[in-house]
Amino acid sequence: MQVSNGLPFTFFENQETKDVFAFIAPALKLPSRKRMSNQILPHATKILKQSIMITAQGDKIGVTAACDGWTNIKQEHLFGVVFITSTGEMLIWGAKDISDERSKTENVIDHIKNIMKEAENKKIKINCFISDSAGEYAAAR
């Protein structure tokens, strides 16, 4: 609930939040922000990554890798990859901060090669790559 709603870790330590949960589910003990950030979220992330890996590896037909770049609210330039399975399921593979790189074809080619190597090492079959129509991505294709 916290992650889905973009709530800060302090949400669970807010007295009004505690009061609402005490009223709705008195037996429920809310985690501290420290436990949430140091234990619960890392464990959930590990399980999610394993699930993504198993799904991608299990696709006998192979996945499509969709790549795109964008700038986040902190003005960091990100390069992201989503795998799309043969059944249409989208798997968030990852994003990399490329703020220190120039937007050049060589950089994009290197990123795609790294994705291909990583997928091969993890026994994931990539059938094709899709990207936006920006010049460096089109040239890399």
Side-chain angles (χ1 to χ4, degrees):
M1 182 177 93
Q2 177 208 2
V3 173
S4 295
N5 290 294
L7 300 171
F9 290 131
T10 56
F11 170 78
F12 294 112
E13 295 177 348
N14 178 293
Q15 190 57 49
E16 290 176 354
T17 302
K18 290 178 181 181
D19 293 343
V20 167
F21 277 92
F23 176 75
I24 294 171
L28 181 67
K29 183 177 187 282
L30 294 176
S32 67
R33 66 179 177 195
K34 191 171 185 174
R35 183 162 181 253
M36 180 61 82
S37 65
N38 294 339
Q39 294 176 352
I40 296 171
L41 287 179
H43 179 69
T45 301
K46 182 179 177 183
I47 291 170
L48 179 61
K49 285 181 179 181
Q50 289 172 341
S51 172
I52 289 170
M53 185 73 62
I54 289 167
T55 303
Q57 290 170 334
D59 193 328
K60 300 301 180 201
I61 295 172
V63 300
T64 296
C67 308
D68 198 4
W70 69 93
T71 303
N72 66 12
I73 60 171
K74 296 190 311 185
Q75 297 303 308
E76 297 168 325
H77 298 281
L78 304 174
F79 178 81
V81 181
V82 174
F83 285 168
I84 306 168
T85 67
S86 60
T87 61
E89 184 177 0
M90 294 201 193
L91 308 171
I92 306 300
W93 190 248
K96 179 179 179 181
D97 182 359
I98 57 169
S99 299
D100 59 340
E101 299 176 14
R102 294 184 60 199
S103 185
K104 296 180 6 183
T105 302
E106 297 82 30
N107 298 118
V108 174
I109 290 171
D110 287 340
H111 291 304
I112 291 172
K113 283 181 179 178
N114 289 336
I115 294 165
M116 291 170 70
K117 279 184 206 170
E118 183 181 2
E120 184 179 350
N121 290 342
K122 295 182 179 190
K123 308 221 182 321
I124 298 170
K125 179 182 176 186
I126 297 178
N127 290 326
C128 69
F129 281 85
I130 298 174
S131 68
D132 65 10
S133 58
E136 61 273 9
Y137 297 108
R141 278 194 301 250

